[in-house]
Amino acid sequence: MLAIDMKDVWKTYKNGIQALKGLNLQVESGEIFSLLGPNGAGKTTTVKVMSCILKYDRGNVKVLGKELPDSCGEILREVGIMPQEFQGFTDLTVRENLEYFSKLYDKEVNIDSLIDTFELKKYENKKLRELSGGYKRRVGLASALAGDPKILFLDEPTVGLDPKARRSLWDIIKGLKEKGITVFLTTHYLDEAEKLSDTVVVIYDGRVVRRGKPGEIIDEFKKENLEDAYLELLKNLEGENNE
Ligand SMILES: Nc1ncnc2c1ncn2[C@@H]1O[C@H](COP(=O)(O)OP(=O)(O)O)[C@@H](O)[C@H]1O
Ligand SMILES: [Mg+2]
């Protein structure tokens, strides 16, 4: 079953920038899906459209089998979002933040078990402003899960974190998949896409340019790793764009 089905979606911002130019994306239920692309490719715009935050100009989007925008009320109850610049409520404690986010949904969520899952017990009574970047991001993830979502959107979840904090976040994300949650993440880190995802879609300038398993994209360019394959792909695309 498809968790997300996006067909021929176009989005132009008021300043005239065409952020999405006929985007097609299919995400299977239960997978970890990475949307990979350089800055400005349209990743955040895509997440905002899928999560009912931003209106699009034309195209069709279905989330959990329900059509946007008519079913956004229902859809919002089933999705969790960690925005690119998650801040939370900096003057509230970890526990207060989680309580707040869980109250936004009328579902019974066990805050203690969220605190356990994210190893936040030591910090539960600390204000968010006192936490390190890595722990703040954990609170972001936990907040996104406070409504017990079926789909989790993570927009560049590990930007700015040190390698250790990144790896621990990766482990947590893999654990979510085990629980049956569909994870849609965006990243411009190749190793992240490669290590985490079942499916990688590369976008560039508002269009899908590749789709496959991380290994298939590597094979296509006869490279050792995704990093080299991706750079080769971008080089080709930039060449085509300048012609
Ligand atoms: N609110 C906005 N108003 C105008 N232009 C925007 C806005 N948000 C993004 N853009 C533009 O749309 C394009 C895609 O941006 P974005 O979706 O944020 O890409 P990414 O997340 O891949 O870096 C970029 O050219 C960006 O400058
Ligand atoms: Mg972005």
Side-chain angles (χ1 to χ4, degrees), residues 44 84 155-156:
T44 296
Q84 192 165 347
D155 196 4
E156 307 239 16

Side-chain angles (χ1 to χ4, degrees), residues 85-99 101 120 123-143:
E85 301 295 339
F86 172 82
Q87 292 299 335
F89 295 98
T90 51
D91 273 328
L92 297 184
T93 66
V94 169
R95 178 172 283 275
E96 287 165 344
N97 266 275
L98 296 180
E99 281 168 354
F101 284 106
L120 288 164
Y123 305 95
E124 65 173 325
N125 295 317
K126 286 219 184 303
K127 289 182 177 169
L128 242 54
R129 63 160 79 242
E130 299 172 82
L131 301 188
S132 69
Y135 275 90
K136 217 177 278 172
R137 215 62 67 85
R138 284 185 190 209
V139 177
L141 258 180
S143 304

Side-chain angles (χ1 to χ4, degrees), residues 2 60 62 68 83 95 110 112 129 142 157 167 180 189 193 224:
L2 289 181
N60 293 92
K62 273 192 201 169
L68 270 65
R95 178 172 283 275
N110 188 332
D112 289 307
R129 63 160 79 242
R167 276 194 299 272
Y189 293 126
E224 293 280 306

